């Protein structure tokens, strides 16, 4: 008997708990300082001049909350005027927020239930129009109005405590829109391998009965039916919805495709979504002919393996995964089961992108793929802060705030002749070691490399070590059963063993975030623009070297991410021992900034006549990294400085050059080296992607434009680089009647003023057929300080603010259709 009495007591307790839970929250506040809602009206509700009746006094504060009991009857689909005012006699303005519980679930947390908010705090009336959606549930529900002193009210604050503000609740009775159903529906997947398809009625307004017609002669009257098609084919689906005001039919032609063939082999695991907030996961997949939209992670794992694309062995395709509107960045992954065994290995990973809104990557179908058989493709996305770490993020991981989806690919054999191509990440080497990567198409089966130094290889991606300095021509021949092809890249590799920098520790970036890291480095002649910390550690010590002198100070500028300030530290290995002394070799520190400027002094005791490693590190403010420490969000980059020997001994070159003309109409330019200190090798970069190693080259530009030219001169004692920004101007109009050959474009329609300027730069145009233009502003070092577009009509003016930039000379480049206009401006 006691046992049953205990059960009865427990049941009552549970009932009370449940009843208590299914209540609207009662927010707390304080309006004793006169931060109250004085008037509110909407439709038939008129609650005026309440004077903060629930505020109380300083000594005895009130609840600052009122369930007014006032109500109004509103209709689905209609809009209603609303007006709210605070205490207009009080000096402090207030922000207002309004919620309506449209689905009647006793909270205001669902999408679309935050119906209005004032854009700024005000002492005056805030008015708005509130529309009752067709999806609103018919019946009685709650409307909440809140005020907050001197702040904007946000959607998440329906139950928050307001220290200075008041809350009023009202009742709304929602009635049905007097219209027939606005019929709409969708299928969980429009493709099926087994014939099973789940349908969902999305009709927003009232439905009293419905009729599904699945296109195979069968029907259903349930709201969200699961239908089984018995044979393959393409089916047109209809849904007719009825209410007391009429009926409407929605027809989707050839909507469902049922595959007549089998899908890929079953996977060895089925990943689960443990739990997820709305918006996370996979919403869109693009790969080959696959273009699939789907629901978010709240539905968990989805098997779309009957959605298939045909690909060709050896060809490359772009894969794009996204979840538009996700609450935060995600970590994306993708795998393809190329050997068809139902298991995704790490070697079958085809995409891996972290902390991004979307992910895109090229996917090359490997030669060893199983042919003419559906192979499973798995994609994944998960909130980056709840993602499995590192290698534990596998194709079988269960995800929180994320999901996985499966598709399939069918690989066809490649029957085209091989086409040769290759690349290397750097065409200049200081230690002689070069990694070559085969880019040949159409699945070659044999490779023959000629490295230009008498050595060869038959590997697909060989690593070759050159034993002597020089410039080398590289040739690759490839073959398959359908043909042979070769490619030769003349003067492709430059080896300068005298520029090799002593190795040092290699720090890592542990977990890149946002745009942390190094965006560019300016130091004397070094001018290097990079992505950010997502690249991790970068060694530029071979390709970016600068010649300096002992006892002299040089300017340095390092740009880090613009979203968060960082600390930057620079070291130079002055004694060339492969390590950075944390005291004597730390040469620059800048904290809590995004543009890090200063000077670096070259010590008199520095090792001369050899390149010395210079390390630049950026990371979160306050981390105080040492030279070998791993960065949390930032990164480290290495460069090199060559210290000239004091006195009259041998010295590295000082680069200098000239051209026979800087304004040309046919594109041919003769360049002349003027470097001092007897350089023995030269590397010209003409600004159009072409290079030369000749001393005095003649270069042919193939396309009109404005080009920046760079010369690096070297000898056994070091190297130096001179860069001339916007040096060559190639345009056919210079072949006109002007005897000097330097006539400007027929008539420059753009005006830029004032020039010089204190920071405000005005742009106007006389006339043009093109109204939208792209504009770049570059420093004399070639650094882009502004990149954007503008729309100008005759007589209009657009203003740019450069007041935050360093004083000096800049170039303004405006592209209007096919025309490019260049202006010089001086910022004082």
């Amino acid at each position: 008997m006691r046992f049953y009495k205990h059960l009865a007591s427990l049941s009552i307790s549970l009932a009370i708990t449940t009843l208590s839970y299914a209540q609207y929250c009662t927010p707390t506040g304080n309006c004793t300082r006169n931060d109250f809602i004085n008037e509110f009206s909407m439709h038939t509700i008129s609650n005026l001049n309440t004077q903060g009746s629930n505020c109380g006094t300083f000594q005895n504060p009130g609840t600052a909350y009122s369930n007014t009991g006032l109500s109004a009857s509103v209709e689905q689909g209609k809009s209603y005027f609303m007006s709210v005012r605070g205490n207009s006699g009080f000096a402090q303005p207030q922000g207002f927020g309004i919620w309506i519980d449209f689905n009647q679930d006793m909270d205001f947390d669902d999408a679309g239930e935050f119906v209005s908010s004032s854009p700024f705090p005000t002492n005056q009336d805030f008015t708005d129009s509130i529309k009752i959606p067709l999806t609103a549930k018919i019946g009685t529900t709650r409307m909440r109005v809140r005020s907050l002193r001197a702040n904007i009210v946000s959607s998440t604050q329906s139950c928050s405590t307001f220290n200075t503000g008041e809350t009023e609740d009202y009742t709304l009775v929602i009635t049905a829109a007097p219209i027939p159903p606005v019929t709409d529906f969708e299928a969980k997947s429009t493709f099926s391998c087994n014939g099973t398809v789940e349908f969902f009625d999305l009709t927003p307004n009232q439905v009293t009965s419905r009729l599904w017609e699945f296109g195979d002669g069968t029907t259903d009257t349930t709201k969200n039916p699961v239908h089984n098609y018995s044979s393959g084919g393409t089916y047109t689906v209809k849904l007719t919805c009825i209410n007391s005001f009429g009926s409407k039919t929605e027809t989707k032609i050839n909507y469902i495709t049922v595959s007549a063939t089998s899908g890929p082999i079953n996977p060895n695991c089925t990943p689960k979504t443990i739990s997820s907030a709305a918006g996370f996961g996979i919403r869109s997949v693009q790969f080959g002919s696959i273009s699939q939209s789907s629901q978010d992670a709240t539905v968990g794992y989805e098997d779309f393996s009957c959605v298939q694309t045909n690909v060709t062995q050896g060809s490359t395709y772009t894969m794009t995964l996204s979840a538009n509107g996700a609450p935060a960045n995600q970590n994306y992954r993708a795998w393809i089961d190329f050997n068809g065994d139902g298991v995704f290995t790490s070697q079958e990973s085809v995409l891996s992108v972290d902390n991004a809104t979307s992910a895109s990557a090229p996917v090359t179908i490997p030669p060893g793929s199983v042919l003419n058989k559906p192979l499973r493709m798995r994609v994944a996305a998960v909130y980056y802060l709840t993602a499995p770490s590192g290698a534990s993020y596998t194709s079988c991981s269960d995800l929180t705030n994320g999901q996985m989806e499966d598709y399939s690919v069918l690989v066809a054999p490649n029957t085209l002749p091989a086409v040769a191509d290759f690349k290397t990440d750097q065409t200049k080497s200081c230690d002689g070691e070069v990694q070559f990567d085969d880019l040949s198409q159409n699945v070659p089966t044999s490779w023959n490399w000629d490295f230009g130094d008498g050595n060869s290889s038959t590997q697909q991606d060989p690593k070759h070590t050159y034993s002597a300095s020089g410039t080398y021509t590289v040739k690759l021949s490839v073959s398959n059963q359908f043909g042979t092809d070769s490619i030769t890249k003349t003067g492709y590799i430059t080896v300068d063993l005298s520029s090799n920098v002593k190795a040092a520790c290699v720090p890592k970036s542990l977990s890149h975030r946002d745009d942390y890291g190094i965006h560019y480095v300016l130091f004397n002649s070094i001018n290097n623009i990079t992505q950010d910390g997502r690249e991790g550690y970068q060694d530029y010590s071979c390709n970016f070297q600068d010649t300096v002198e002992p006892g002299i100070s040089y300017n340095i500028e390092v740009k880090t991410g613009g979203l968060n300030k960082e600390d930057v530290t620079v070291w130079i290995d002055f004694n060339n021992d492969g390590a950075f002394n944390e005291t004597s070799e730390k040469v620059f520190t800048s904290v809590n900034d995004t543009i890090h400027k200063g000077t670096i002094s070259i010590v008199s005791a520095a090792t001369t006549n050899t390149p010395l490693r210079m390390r630049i590190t950026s990371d979160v403010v306050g981390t105080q990294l040492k030279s070998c420490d791993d960065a949390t969000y930032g990164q480290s980059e290495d460069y090199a400085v060559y210290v000239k020997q004091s006195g009259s001994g041998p010295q590295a070159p000082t680069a200098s050059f000239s051209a026979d003309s800087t304004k040309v109409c046919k594109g041919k330019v003769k360049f002349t080296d003027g470097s001092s200190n007897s350089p023995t090798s030269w590397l010209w970069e003409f600004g159009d992607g072409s290079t030369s190693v000749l001393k005095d080259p003649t270069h042919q530009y193939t396309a009109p434009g404005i080009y920046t030219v760079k010369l690096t001169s070297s000898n056994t004692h070091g190297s130096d680089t001179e860069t001339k920004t916007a040096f060559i101007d190639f345009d056919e109009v210079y072949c006109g009647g002007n005897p000097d050959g330097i006539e400007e474009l027929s008539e420059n329609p753009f005006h830029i003023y004032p020039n010089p300027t204190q920071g405000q730069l005005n742009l106007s145009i006389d006339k043009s057929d093109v109204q939208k233009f792209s504009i770049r502003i570059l420093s004399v070092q070639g650094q882009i300080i502004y990149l954007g577009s503008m729309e100008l009509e005759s007589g209009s003016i657009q203003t740019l603010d450069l007041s935050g930039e360093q004083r000096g000379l800049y170039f303004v480049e405006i592209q209007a259709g096919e025309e490019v206009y260049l202006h010089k401006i001086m910022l004082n």
Side-chain angles (χ1 to χ4, degrees):
M1 191 68 175
R2 291 178 184 171
F3 176 74
Y4 291 111
K5 186 181 291 186
H6 174 70
L7 282 181
S9 174
L10 178 60
S11 299
I12 293 171
S13 174
L14 287 174
I16 292 173
T17 301
T18 304
L19 182 62
S20 175
Y21 181 78
Q23 298 277 343
Y24 287 103
C25 64
T26 301
T28 58
N30 188 322
C31 53
T32 59
R33 296 178 181 271
N34 296 319
D35 304 290
F36 53 75
I37 301 168
N38 193 39
E39 297 183 352
F40 176 77
S41 61
M42 175 181 162
H43 194 32
T44 60
I45 294 173
S46 181
N47 194 20
L48 307 179
N49 199 30
T50 57
Q51 292 295 317
S53 57
N54 298 290
C55 294
T57 65
F58 289 114
Q59 295 76 19
N60 187 24
T63 62
Y65 168 78
S66 172
N67 187 354
T68 65
L70 299 176
S71 67
S73 180
V74 294
E75 185 180 294
Q76 292 175 326
K78 281 192 174 182
S79 297
Y80 297 89
F81 178 80
M82 175 279 304
S83 177
V84 61
R85 177 191 282 263
N87 180 10
S88 58
F90 184 52
Q92 286 287 354
Q94 298 183 78
F96 302 98
I98 303 174
W99 295 259
I100 301 177
D101 180 20
F102 287 125
N103 64 357
Q104 300 177 27
D105 66 347
M106 299 291 183
D107 65 45
F108 303 100
D109 300 333
D110 302 286
E113 293 187 338
F114 187 50
V115 296
S116 181
S117 66
S118 55
F120 49 83
T122 178
N123 294 82
Q124 305 303 314
D125 288 341
F126 166 57
T127 61
D128 199 0
S129 179
I130 296 176
K131 185 172 184 178
I132 310 301
L134 291 174
T135 54
K137 188 175 180 179
I138 295 171
T140 301
T141 192
R142 179 86 53 107
M143 175 171 65
R144 174 159 295 172
V145 184
R146 303 202 74 188
S147 72
L148 178 62
R149 182 206 285 189
N151 281 281
I152 297 172
V153 179
S154 70
S155 61
T156 59
Q157 293 180 303
S158 64
C159 294
S160 302
T161 297
F162 285 175
N163 291 326
T164 50
E166 186 185 16
T167 305
E168 293 180 349
D169 280 1
Y170 298 87
T171 298
L172 294 182
V173 180
I174 300 176
T175 61
I179 58 173
V182 185
T183 306
D184 191 18
F185 69 90
E186 71 175 6
K188 185 174 183 180
S189 173
T190 58
F191 297 85
S192 177
C193 294
N194 58 12
T196 300
V197 181
E198 189 174 357
F199 292 94
F200 300 93
D201 179 7
L202 303 179
T203 307
N205 58 325
Q206 187 181 42
V207 176
T208 56
S209 64
R210 56 184 57 80
L211 176 66
W212 293 87
E213 299 173 75
F214 300 115
D216 60 352
T218 62
T219 61
D220 199 311
T221 59
T222 58
K223 182 177 181 181
N224 300 316
V226 177
H227 182 64
N228 291 299
Y229 290 92
S230 58
S231 60
T234 302
Y235 298 91
T236 294
V237 181
K238 297 181 181 180
L239 171 61
T240 301
C241 290
I242 304 169
N243 64 20
S244 58
F245 303 102
S247 66
K248 181 178 179 294
T249 299
E250 173 72 6
T251 301
K252 297 191 177 182
I253 299 172
N254 297 329
Y255 185 56
I256 299 297
T257 300
V258 177
S259 176
T261 60
S262 61
I265 188 173
N266 289 332
N268 71 318
C269 63
T270 300
K272 298 189 295 293
T273 293
I274 300 172
S275 64
S276 183
F280 288 112
I282 299 288
R283 299 295 302 275
S284 174
V285 175
Q286 308 285 330
F287 182 65
S289 62
I290 295 174
S291 181
Q292 176 84 352
S293 297
S294 60
Q295 299 183 67
D296 61 24
T298 57
V299 301
Y301 164 78
E302 296 189 274
D303 190 350
F304 299 118
S305 57
C306 60
V307 181
Q308 180 176 291
T309 184
N310 295 325
V311 295
T312 302
Q313 191 181 35
S315 297
T316 300
Y317 304 84
T318 298
M319 177 183 292
T320 301
L321 311 178
S322 62
N324 293 334
N329 286 356
Q330 300 191 96
N331 290 359
Y332 294 87
R333 299 289 186 274
W335 303 263
I336 297 178
D337 182 21
F338 289 119
N339 65 359
D341 64 352
V343 178
F344 298 102
T345 65
S346 58
Q347 289 73 33
E348 293 175 322
S349 170
V350 295
L351 180 146
S352 179
V353 175
D354 287 344
N355 195 13
T357 57
S358 63
S360 186
V363 177
T364 300
I365 310 303
S369 303
V370 172
L371 302 176
N372 302 317
K373 174 184 175 182
L375 306 176
R376 189 173 295 268
M377 178 178 81
R378 178 161 291 176
V379 298
V382 59
Y383 176 37
Y384 78 102
L385 290 181
T386 57
S389 59
S392 63
Y393 189 173
T394 70
S395 61
C396 294
S397 297
D398 295 331
L399 303 179
T400 300
N401 292 318
Q403 69 172 152
M404 297 194 188
E405 295 178 350
D406 284 0
Y407 299 83
S408 70
V409 298
L410 189 70
V411 182
N414 195 321
T415 58
L416 297 174
V419 176
D421 193 15
F422 67 91
K423 72 167 186 177
T424 180
D425 287 341
Q426 56 182 43
T427 57
K428 179 185 176 182
S429 175
C430 294
D431 60 2
E433 190 174 273
V434 180
Q435 173 66 56
F436 292 96
D437 296 314
D438 173 44
L439 299 179
S440 302
Q441 300 178 29
N442 302 329
V443 196
T445 54
S446 65
W447 300 263
N448 188 4
W449 296 83
D450 181 348
F451 300 119
D453 63 348
N455 294 296
S456 61
S457 175
T458 58
Q459 296 179 10
Q460 182 178 3
D461 300 308
K463 179 182 288 186
H464 179 63
T465 301
Y466 291 91
S467 59
S469 298
T471 302
Y472 298 93
T473 294
V474 181
K475 180 179 180 180
L476 170 63
S477 298
V478 295
S479 300
N480 63 16
Q481 66 183 98
F482 305 104
T484 299
D485 188 39
S486 66
I487 185 173
T488 300
K489 297 190 178 184
T490 304
Y492 185 58
I493 299 298
T494 299
V495 178
D496 185 1
L497 300 179
S498 66
S499 297
N500 195 25
V501 181
K502 182 164 289 188
C505 57
V506 178
K508 300 188 293 292
S509 294
L510 298 177
S511 178
H512 175 256
R513 181 178 177 183
D514 298 325
D515 66 341
Y516 277 99
I518 299 169
H519 289 233
Y520 69 71
V521 172
L522 299 175
F523 177 72
N524 208 17
S525 69
I526 292 175
N527 178 6
N528 189 27
I529 303 173
T530 58
Q531 192 174 22
D532 58 27
R534 75 190 66 188
E535 298 178 314
Y537 167 77
Q538 296 292 311
D539 189 350
Y540 299 114
S541 63
C542 178
N543 289 280
F544 288 89
Q545 299 189 350
D546 184 57
T547 301
V548 296
E549 296 184 30
I552 296 179
S553 296
Y554 297 86
N555 292 330
I556 186 168
E557 180 177 326
V558 180
K559 170 73 167 63
T560 53
L563 297 179
N564 300 281
K565 294 183 178 181
E566 298 180 53
D567 291 349
V568 165
T569 308
V570 182
W571 298 262
I572 297 178
D573 183 15
F574 285 127
N575 64 359
N576 198 34
D577 65 350
F580 299 100
N581 186 288
E582 297 299 332
T583 302
S584 61
E585 294 181 330
K586 181 186 290 187
V587 295
F588 175 75
T589 300
S590 172
V591 299
N592 196 25
D593 213 337
T594 57
I595 302 288
H596 307 264
K597 296 181 180 181
T599 59
I600 290 178
S601 299
I602 308 303
V603 301
S604 300
T607 302
T608 58
N609 300 328
T610 188
L612 309 176
R613 188 174 295 272
M614 178 172 72
R615 173 157 296 171
I616 303 174
T617 293
S618 75
D619 206 5
V620 181
V621 171
T623 49
Q624 298 181 338
L625 291 184
K626 295 182 179 179
S627 57
C628 291
D629 289 347
D630 297 333
T632 303
Y633 298 144
Q635 69 177 140
S636 294
E637 293 182 351
D638 283 359
Y639 297 85
V641 295
Y642 187 96
V643 182
K644 287 183 180 180
Q645 186 177 21
S646 300
S648 60
Q651 296 184 0
T654 298
S656 179
F657 66 90
S658 61
D660 60 348
S661 178
T662 59
K663 291 182 180 289
V664 294
C665 69
K666 295 184 178 179
K668 181 177 286 188
V669 182
K670 170 68 175 177
F671 293 95
T672 302
D673 170 50
S675 306
S676 61
N677 299 329
S678 304
T680 56
S681 63
W682 301 263
L683 176 61
W684 295 83
E685 299 173 62
F686 299 116
D688 61 352
S690 301
T691 60
S692 175
V693 294
L694 299 176
K695 181 177 186 294
D696 301 311
T698 297
H699 181 62
Q700 178 66 56
Y701 290 95
T702 60
I706 297 174
Y707 298 94
T708 294
V709 181
K710 181 188 295 187
L711 170 63
T712 301
S713 302
S714 305
N715 61 20
T716 57
H717 307 289
S719 62
D720 186 44
T721 299
E722 180 175 38
T723 301
K724 295 189 177 182
T725 302
F727 184 55
I728 300 298
D729 186 355
F730 169 25
D731 198 306
E732 290 89 342
V733 299
Y734 297 143
C735 293
N738 190 312
D740 296 328
I742 57 171
E743 183 180 39
E744 290 291 341
L745 293 172
S746 57
E747 187 174 322
N748 191 334
F750 292 96
H751 302 281
I752 298 181
Y753 60 93
N755 189 12
T757 176
Q758 299 293 325
Q760 297 297 315
L761 196 65
N762 299 316
L763 293 86
S764 65
I765 187 172
D766 291 334
K767 60 181 180 178
S768 177
D769 294 332
V770 182
Q771 265 77 55
K772 190 169 185 178
F773 313 99
S774 62
I775 178 170
R776 297 196 310 166
I777 302 180
L778 304 91
S779 69
V780 292
Q781 294 90 2
Q783 176 66 41
I784 299 174
I785 66 167
Y786 177 84
L787 178 62
S789 62
M790 62 179 178
E791 293 188 10
L792 280 176
E793 295 181 355
S794 179
S796 65
I797 299 174
Q798 179 152 330
T799 302
L800 299 177
D801 186 3
L802 306 181
S803 57
E805 300 300 329
Q806 191 173 2
R807 313 295 109 179
L809 179 66
Y810 291 87
F811 297 91
V812 180
E813 180 185 276
I814 302 174
Q815 181 166 359
E818 299 297 323
E819 304 288 359
V820 177
Y821 303 92
L822 188 70
H823 300 255
K824 292 181 182 179
I825 63 167
M826 180 62 68
L827 185 60
N828 289 338

